[in-house]
Amino acid sequence: MKKHQYQTIIEKGPVIFTSICVFGSLIVALLLVIFKKFTGLGIFAICLFTLIFVLSIVTMLGLLLDYAYIEDDILIMRYIFKCGKIKISDIKEIKLNTSKNIYYVYDFRGSTVGTINSIAVGVNEMILYLDKLGVKIN
């Protein structure tokens, strides 16, 4: 993703922790298989570390593919494989769901166009910019 003036980014801490989980669980599971630790406890450990590996990959995808940015007067919101785009002038309102920490972006038909993670780095500047442009923020 190229650098935009208003965009959300992920923090380094969760990415580093998840990377350690991905590589650590993969290495441990592979070492158990290589050294043929196929006892009851060994098979349990292989299954457990494989599960941790898969869940860490899914978590990493969620971290890396959850962002929003403004480009050429268009708000673009991505979450994993979903992408929502809307011209800033077509935004009816943005509502914060405090229980989920998510901003929901609505068009004038009342449809949800996309979401923005409210705890992402850079979201406050983006929301302030949208507010200055006259977007209703709830």
Side-chain angles (χ1 to χ4, degrees), residues 25 28-30 32-33 37-53:
S25 61
V28 171
L30 288 176
L32 289 169
V33 170
K37 300 294 182 183
F38 298 122
T39 63
L41 186 58
I43 292 171
F44 175 75
I46 291 168
C47 293
L48 180 66
F49 283 107
T50 303
L51 178 64
I52 292 170
F53 172 75

Side-chain angles (χ1 to χ4, degrees), residues 39-79:
T39 63
L41 186 58
I43 292 171
F44 175 75
I46 291 168
C47 293
L48 180 66
F49 283 107
T50 303
L51 178 64
I52 292 170
F53 172 75
V54 171
L55 294 176
S56 298
I57 291 289
V58 171
T59 303
M60 184 65 77
L61 282 174
L63 287 172
L64 296 177
L65 300 177
D66 181 13
Y67 58 90
Y69 61 94
I70 297 173
E71 179 178 71
D72 299 329
D73 210 28
I74 296 174
L75 175 62
I76 301 166
M77 301 152 286
R78 294 197 69 101
Y79 182 68

Side-chain angles (χ1 to χ4, degrees), residues 42-126:
I43 292 171
F44 175 75
I46 291 168
C47 293
L48 180 66
F49 283 107
T50 303
L51 178 64
I52 292 170
F53 172 75
V54 171
L55 294 176
S56 298
I57 291 289
V58 171
T59 303
M60 184 65 77
L61 282 174
L63 287 172
L64 296 177
L65 300 177
D66 181 13
Y67 58 90
Y69 61 94
I70 297 173
E71 179 178 71
D72 299 329
D73 210 28
I74 296 174
L75 175 62
I76 301 166
M77 301 152 286
R78 294 197 69 101
Y79 182 68
I80 303 184
F81 301 116
K82 295 179 184 179
C83 181
K85 296 180 183 181
I86 187 170
K87 291 178 86 172
I88 293 175
S89 59
D90 293 337
I91 299 173
K92 178 182 178 185
E93 67 180 333
I94 298 176
K95 288 185 179 179
L96 174 62
N97 184 330
T98 54
S99 65
K100 295 183 179 180
N101 290 325
I102 295 176
Y103 284 104
Y104 289 92
V105 180
Y106 296 96
D107 61 11
F108 282 103
R109 293 176 296 184
S111 302
T112 304
V113 178
T115 60
I116 303 171
N117 185 349
S118 70
I119 58 174
V121 176
V123 73
N124 293 335
E125 292 83 10
M126 182 182 293

